[in-house]
Amino acid sequence: MAMFRKIALVLITVVVLLAVVGLALPRQVHVERSAVIEAPQATVYAVLNGFRLFNRWSPWADLDPNARYTHEGPALGVGAKMAWSGDPETAGTGTQEIVESRHPDLIRVNLEFGDRGKAIAAFTLSPEGNGTKVTWSFESDLGMSPVARYFGLMYDRWGGRDYEKGLARLKTFVEGLPKADFAGLDVEIVETTPATVAFVEATSSKDEQAIASAIGGAYAEVGRFLAANRLKQSAPPITITTKWDDTGYSFDAAIPVDRTPVKEIPATSRVRMKTTYAGKALKVVHRGPYREMTSTYDRLMAYAAAHGYDHNGAPWDEYVSDPGSTAEPDLITNIYLPVR
């Protein structure tokens, strides 16, 4: 019995000693890793400022293919929230919510892991060379548990490995997005309503003069059709892009009208009638010469990709200004990109 008491006393002493040492260990855990991404800061910030694209680069996305994800709140910025539920041994359950969004250099995220605790993660962005330096950090309070504090000694190794993997995936993903810098681009999310239009299908090379000639000729055809059918233009003319690539430009030159023709349109008519797209779209106001619209389109496409919008139809241009009576610098053209 005396031997057992001695063993018990030793064990108790060891446990007490371990507890005392554990309580002397750091209560706060900090993990931090950085990477430079060859992309504009606006692009990186947009990808991180919500959870729409999170699983495209997350180091944990492939831990549990059957995990369920739900989203709440706004798509971007403060209040954007994602919850997940999966295998307790791999993905586990938890939530993450953006609690601070300071454009263009800081995003702070509140993490909750159920009974496994809470933490704060942050993404800090800064220009570096032609790219963007991203610093991903993690902070957690381990409380008074000596066991938790012992595990805290491993956080930098375990968490750091995941953060390095995540930043590598983020780098690959973001560098694969369109390169145009959309910083300062004023994009509006709108719900468009359908319009009845008379239109002609047309094609052109991508030469500026050729495009102007093709659009002018197409609108002349539509104008004659409107006059012959006593239709009235009800809104600015539009061109709906059906193709824009190395081989040229194809489009529908369309004019919104007040009604459909009373008479049936002959099958031989080049002018047809249709209803335009109705639904969500990204809208940008382009100010200036038409030849500069390609740059605006490049920036809009980069914006859509970085914010996780999928294209949902052909984009179109609405010519608010009359080029015959408006100076080039003052021309206003609304660009619409259907998305979902």
Side-chain angles (χ1 to χ4, degrees):
M1 292 295 293
M3 179 63 69
F4 287 121
R5 283 197 295 271
K6 288 182 180 179
I7 293 174
L9 182 60
V10 169
L11 290 176
I12 291 172
T13 302
V14 170
V15 170
V16 171
L17 181 60
L18 288 174
V20 170
V21 172
L23 288 173
L25 293 174
R27 174 172 176 165
Q28 303 294 327
V29 168
H30 181 85
V31 179
E32 183 177 301
R33 295 293 188 273
S34 297
V36 176
I37 298 176
E38 297 300 322
Q41 188 167 334
T43 300
V44 182
Y45 182 86
V47 170
L48 297 175
N49 194 36
F51 303 112
R52 188 194 298 267
L53 298 172
F54 183 74
N55 282 340
R56 300 284 293 274
W57 61 270
S58 166
W60 308 290
D62 52 2
L63 288 178
D64 181 3
N66 298 316
R68 297 186 303 275
Y69 300 89
T70 58
H71 297 266
E72 299 177 18
L76 301 170
V78 174
K81 184 176 183 179
M82 185 182 86
W84 70 92
S85 177
D87 186 335
E89 300 299 320
T90 54
T93 61
T95 64
Q96 55 179 341
E97 179 178 358
I98 295 177
V99 293
E100 184 178 359
S101 178
R102 191 179 70 202
H103 184 272
D105 54 24
L106 176 67
I107 298 161
R108 201 177 302 277
V109 180
N110 184 54
L111 301 167
E112 296 194 12
F113 307 104
D115 58 6
R116 291 190 294 173
K118 301 179 180 181
I120 290 287
F123 298 96
T124 304
L125 283 61
S126 61
E128 181 149 324
N130 294 322
T132 303
K133 182 179 180 180
V134 182
T135 300
W136 190 8
S137 63
F138 172 96
E139 294 182 356
S140 182
D141 185 336
L142 301 176
M144 297 301 295
S145 169
V147 175
R149 295 192 186 189
Y150 275 111
F151 277 109
L153 297 175
M154 304 298 294
Y155 267 52
D156 189 72
R157 180 184 300 177
W158 294 339
R161 184 170 53 221
D162 286 344
Y163 272 28
E164 289 166 5
K165 178 180 177 182
L167 287 171
R169 288 186 171 186
L170 179 66
K171 178 179 174 69
T172 299
F173 174 68
V174 173
E175 290 180 356
L177 295 175
K179 304 299 184 184
D181 188 351
F182 52 81
L185 186 68
D186 187 7
V187 181
E188 183 182 0
I189 303 173
V190 299
E191 286 290 332
T192 63
T193 56
T196 300
V197 297
F199 73 99
V200 166
E201 296 179 358
T203 60
S204 167
S205 70
K206 295 170 71 174
D207 174 74
E208 180 185 349
Q209 295 301 320
I211 292 174
S213 177
I215 291 177
Y219 279 140
E221 283 190 72
V222 178
R224 291 191 292 269
F225 176 88
L226 266 58
N229 289 274
R230 298 182 178 180
L231 300 175
K232 293 182 179 180
Q233 181 174 337
S234 61
I238 63 175
T239 52
I240 305 169
T241 301
T242 54
K243 185 187 73 171
W244 178 273
D245 58 24
D246 292 340
T247 65
Y249 175 38
S250 298
F251 60 95
D252 295 340
I255 294 180
V257 294
D258 58 341
R259 57 183 173 81
T260 57
V262 174
K263 298 183 298 182
E264 183 177 352
I265 302 173
T268 56
S269 173
R270 274 181 34 88
V271 181
R272 313 301 299 171
M273 303 292 297
K274 69 177 178 179
T275 301
T276 60
Y277 170 85
K280 182 188 291 187
L282 303 181
K283 175 186 175 183
V284 169
V285 179
H286 172 82
R287 291 178 171 84
Y290 298 138
R291 62 179 172 274
E292 296 176 0
M293 286 175 58
T294 300
S295 174
T296 302
Y297 259 106
D298 289 343
R299 297 172 71 202
L300 177 58
M301 295 302 179
Y303 178 98
H307 287 81
Y309 289 108
D310 294 323
H311 296 189
N312 193 30
W316 72 93
D317 308 323
E318 180 183 49
Y319 300 101
V320 178
S321 303
D322 179 357
S325 59
T326 306
E328 268 197 331
D330 299 325
L331 289 172
I332 295 178
T333 309
N334 294 330
I335 298 175
Y336 293 87
L337 176 65
V339 295
R340 55 174 172 264

